Amino acid sequence: MTGLINNCRVAVCLTTVLLLAGCIHTVSSVKPVPDTTDMVYIPEGWFLMGSREDDGIPGQSVGVDEIPQHSVYVNGFYMDRFEVTVEKYRRFLDVTGRKAPRIWTIESYINVYPEPEDTHPMKGVSWYDADSYCRWAGKRLPTEEEWEKAARGTDGRQWPWGNDFFGPEGKIMANTREARAGWTTPAGSYPEGVSPYGIYDMAGSVMEWTSSWYKPYPGSTLQREAFGEKYKVLRGGSWENPSVPFARSAYRHAVAPKWDHPAHGFRCAVDGL
């Protein structure tokens, strides 16, 4: 009888463990609900993507991989109003235990770049870091098409604010090399430079990862070994780059996804709910 009771106890314990394991698996597989409080909704519809040859000098002020300009239909989606900040990324590291970026840990970086400030955009992250953060937050990286529409609207403008880089009386509209800041600035520091949808810092400060592979545009005859599923596209320019061509809304920067350059940052997107 004692053996039977002990066997029953073991069976009950095993059943309990299996049930708990099942519950744990169920909880861990639940996708977090994204917080869209500080995101902007970009409505569905067509927009002009890429550049015309007469937008500048092809190969210099206009990238040949931006040509031809073409119409693209994008479903409605949400985009972060600001780039992901140091504060938010630090919280992600604390919760997940993910390894800190090299910009915070490698002496050669620490000696060159300022201390990370919570209100500044996160930088020095690889595509894998950015993708992991967005997934952790229940979001995703934007596609190249989504990013460009969010930056320039539907009318093919050169910059988020219009077709001239400088504002009234030569005002600097973004944190590019022309601003001479020498580093990132707090998110939202250039309110006059918002996109048509009210999104900040889509030109300058840090370049932003997208989910898209670097591929030729429809109708392009351009051939490059870099095309294919080798490099991811970054957008938006940075504090260390001149405005032309790097911070133009149509500019494409192809980079290996493992590269965690100090000028690489990101923001997240969410499908239209």
Side-chain angles (χ1 to χ4, degrees):
M1 179 64 72
T2 301
L4 179 61
I5 292 173
N6 288 335
N7 287 338
C8 289
R9 287 176 178 170
V10 170
V12 170
C13 289
L14 287 172
T15 302
T16 303
V17 169
L18 290 172
L19 286 172
L20 286 174
C23 291
I24 291 171
H25 174 74
T26 301
V27 171
S28 64
S29 64
V30 173
K31 184 177 180 180
V33 177
D35 180 6
T36 58
T37 302
D38 210 9
M39 302 186 82
V40 175
Y41 183 70
I42 313 298
E44 65 181 37
W46 296 90
F47 82 104
L48 291 174
M49 184 174 187
S51 299
R52 303 187 312 268
E53 292 191 17
D54 61 359
D55 281 338
I57 302 174
Q60 296 184 32
S61 56
V62 172
V64 292
D65 58 356
E66 303 169 20
I67 300 170
Q69 190 173 80
H70 55 291
S71 294
V72 176
Y73 186 89
V74 175
N75 292 326
F77 66 99
Y78 290 88
M79 176 80 89
D80 284 345
R81 189 181 303 275
F82 304 101
E83 292 158 329
V84 172
T85 62
V86 168
E87 179 182 23
K88 290 183 177 180
Y89 196 81
R90 199 193 302 274
R91 190 182 312 139
F92 161 66
L93 296 180
D94 290 342
V95 171
T96 64
R98 189 178 181 87
K99 186 178 179 180
R102 292 195 305 159
I103 195 172
W104 293 356
T105 59
I106 302 298
E107 187 175 354
S108 58
Y109 282 162
I110 295 173
N111 292 338
V112 172
Y113 297 108
E115 287 279 338
E117 297 182 59
D118 284 351
T119 58
H120 284 233
M122 185 60 203
K123 53 270 181 187
V125 292
S126 69
W127 181 91
Y128 299 106
D129 294 329
D131 180 66
S132 293
Y133 174 94
C134 290
R135 290 177 183 274
W136 170 77
K139 303 178 182 182
R140 58 175 175 78
L141 286 171
T143 66
E144 192 179 2
E145 292 83 1
E146 289 172 334
W147 194 98
E148 187 168 330
K149 181 177 182 181
R152 72 193 307 196
T154 61
D155 57 7
R157 62 183 62 188
Q158 294 274 329
W159 311 94
W161 53 88
N163 287 316
D164 295 315
F165 174 72
F166 295 99
E169 300 180 359
K171 185 177 181 62
I172 299 291
M173 306 292 281
N175 183 15
T176 57
R177 184 183 293 176
E178 289 84 354
R180 299 182 180 180
W183 190 231
T184 56
T185 45
S189 293
Y190 292 82
E192 297 91 346
V194 296
S195 81
Y197 300 104
I199 301 179
Y200 290 75
D201 303 320
M202 298 200 82
S205 204
V206 292
M207 302 190 83
E208 301 177 16
W209 288 107
T210 72
S211 65
S212 298
W213 294 107
Y214 182 56
K215 296 182 178 181
Y217 283 164
S220 173
T221 58
L222 184 65
Q223 295 185 1
R224 284 184 171 174
E225 289 187 6
F227 286 146
E229 297 190 356
K230 302 177 183 177
Y231 303 107
K232 292 290 187 178
V233 177
L234 287 119
R235 293 299 197 104
S238 75
W239 86 89
E240 67 175 4
N241 300 130
S243 57
V244 178
F246 299 100
R248 292 173 52 257
S249 296
Y251 182 77
R252 312 172 74 197
H253 190 54
V255 172
K258 67 179 182 180
W259 196 21
D260 53 355
H261 189 277
H264 294 171
F266 68 104
R267 72 179 78 220
C268 305
V270 171
D271 293 341
L273 304 177

